[in-house]
Structure formats: structure tokens, C-alpha cells
Amino acid sequence: VTVHQPGTLREALDLIAGKPEAVPVAGATDLLVHWPARVAEHDRDYVDLSRIAELKAIAFRNGELMLGALATYWDVIHAGRMKEGFPATSSMLRPPPTVSPC
Amino acid sequence: VITLAFTLNGAPATVEIDPADRLLDVLRERLGLTGTKEGCGEGECGACTVWLDGLPVNSCLVPAYQVRGARVHTVESLDPAALEPLLVHGATQCGACTPGVAMTACWIVGHPEILASHSLRELLAGNLCRCTGYDGIVAGVQAALDAGARA
């Protein structure tokens, strides 16, 4: 497994253009479920996006909400104006209520 | 092999890792901090909860290389006295979930303002207790919060 960590979107796009077979990695949830047990079959190049600040942006503009691809649920739920401006989206992103004892 | 430098429980740490290593395994097997437990290994149960830059995360789903330069806190960093309310309220049965519960509980106690927008049960929803002893856990964390509010 080889991981590249570009710091900007431009660097990431250049890396992927140069290695079209490379797999972009954001949160890595699915990869980490598989890597430990089956690392051999996942031995390839990865482009880790986690250091790219531009992709984490959460912006409110002209009544519209823009969510960067790397914005986490937690960051979105707690972003300023989220609850007031986009209550349905805000509540949709929260975890389901825990099962109540019956 | 890459060299990973980060801050672990307040002190600088440097360790050699493989790019495919999970933070959970680096903590337990390379750094000897076995307080963090593996439960499901797929981010469902929260037994492996640590704080990454001050927020609780499942360490089984964090690629170790991603914590370069970050602050990581494990259950070893907690003040045992802070866990007393969990003990008193029977928040531990078999103990499998306890290190993760303790990390989430202490985070909540350290950030009581979060309760203005989230219920305690919602905040604890990422930590599954296989004994289903949730009432004891919730009571223990509430007692810790009450003690914090009085202090």
C-alpha cells in the first residue's frame, strides 16, 4: 500500500492524472474494514485527500448551502446558521435516536 | 514503512508504521497502550474510541498515517477519579465497551455546552454496550455531569 498525501486540490488532481489507477481516500472507512485482513489484495496507490482544506469548506451563500466533499457530519451539524437556515438537513444528518427501553 | 510523529496523551510520540496500519493497532501493538480495545473493527461499536484533535473517533477506522501532527488522547490519559461516577452507577458490566464509553463520557463532561443541542443518549449512541446496560451508563455520565456542574 502506497499513500500519497497532497496538500491542495491541484496537487491531488495532478497526482490522479499521473496515476489514473490510484484510489482517492477521504475518511477511509471502507478501506480500513478491509486493509488489516486483506492487505495484499488492496496493494495499490492511494491519494489521501484528508489534508486538502478546500474540500472541507462549509459555506452559506445567497441562501444556498455548499458542503465540501470532506465536510464531516459533525462539522456540518455544528456549522453556524445550519440549524436556523437548514433545519431539515441539520436534523437529517444527526444519528437516529437510540432504541428506548420497552 | 513511514515515520509518524504526533502528540500522544500530551507528549511527543514517534513511531514507524506501515501505510495500511490502523491507529488502533499502532496504539496497542507499537506503543503498548492496550487500554484502547477493538470491538467490531468496523466503526459500529465505539469500543476503540480515542480523541483525535479533541473529538471522539473510532480508532479502528483512522488510518494511522492521518494523525501526523495531530493530538491523540487515549483512555490512559483519563483521570481515574473522573471515572468514579461510572463505577458508582454500575456503568460497567462485562467491561468490553468501558474504555470507549469512558472516552465519550469524559468528552461530554468536558463539553457540557453540547447538551444544549444533543441529548445525553444521542451523544452516547456511538458506544454500544453488549450487556445492554445503558441505564447505568447514562446515569453514571449524568452523575459526572452533575458533579462537574457543582464543582
Side-chain angles (χ1 to χ4, degrees), chain B residues 37-84:
Chain B
K37 307 302 182 195
E38 174 161 14
C40 66
E42 49 189 54
E44 298 287 345
C45 79
C48 66
T49 302
V50 300
W51 301 339
L52 176 54
D53 283 335
L55 274 182
V57 297
N58 290 315
S59 63
C60 74
L61 291 186
V62 177
Y65 70 78
Q66 281 190 352
V67 308
R68 176 165 52 90
R71 288 174 296 119
V72 175
H73 285 89
T74 67
V75 69
E76 285 87 354
S77 73
L78 299 181
D79 173 7
L83 304 176
E84 187 74 14

Side-chain angles (χ1 to χ4, degrees), chain A residues 35-57:
Chain A
W35 271 354
R38 296 188 287 169
V39 73
E41 61 185 89
H42 293 279
D43 187 15
R44 59 174 71 106
D45 280 79
Y46 295 87
V47 177
D48 179 277
L49 308 177
S50 66
R51 303 254 156 190
I52 304 178
E54 316 152 66
L55 292 181
K56 297 179 186 173

Side-chain angles (χ1 to χ4, degrees), chain A residues 39-102:
Chain A
V39 73
E41 61 185 89
H42 293 279
D43 187 15
R44 59 174 71 106
D45 280 79
Y46 295 87
V47 177
D48 179 277
L49 308 177
S50 66
R51 303 254 156 190
I52 304 178
E54 316 152 66
L55 292 181
K56 297 179 186 173
I58 300 169
F60 300 89
R61 254 198 315 260
N62 304 326
E64 290 186 346
L65 170 65
M66 309 245 316
L67 299 180
L70 287 186
T72 64
Y73 285 141
W74 184 264
D75 289 341
V76 175
I77 292 166
H78 294 95
R81 289 193 275 158
M82 192 66 209
K83 207 171 163 190
E84 298 74 23
F86 301 88
T89 308
S90 183
S91 93
M92 181 182 77
L93 295 176
R94 294 168 70 128
T98 43
V99 177
S100 333
C102 43

Side-chain angles (χ1 to χ4, degrees), chain B residues 108 111-121 123 142 145:
Chain B
I108 297 168
H111 301 79
E113 69 283 357
I114 199 73
L115 290 160
S117 53
H118 299 263
S119 73
L120 196 45
R121 283 180 184 266
L123 292 167
Q142 187 62 58
L145 279 162

Side-chain angles (χ1 to χ4, degrees), chain B residues 80-99:
Chain B
L83 304 176
E84 187 74 14
L86 295 179
L87 183 67
V88 169
H89 288 269
T92 286
Q93 293 184 45
C94 84
C97 70
T98 303

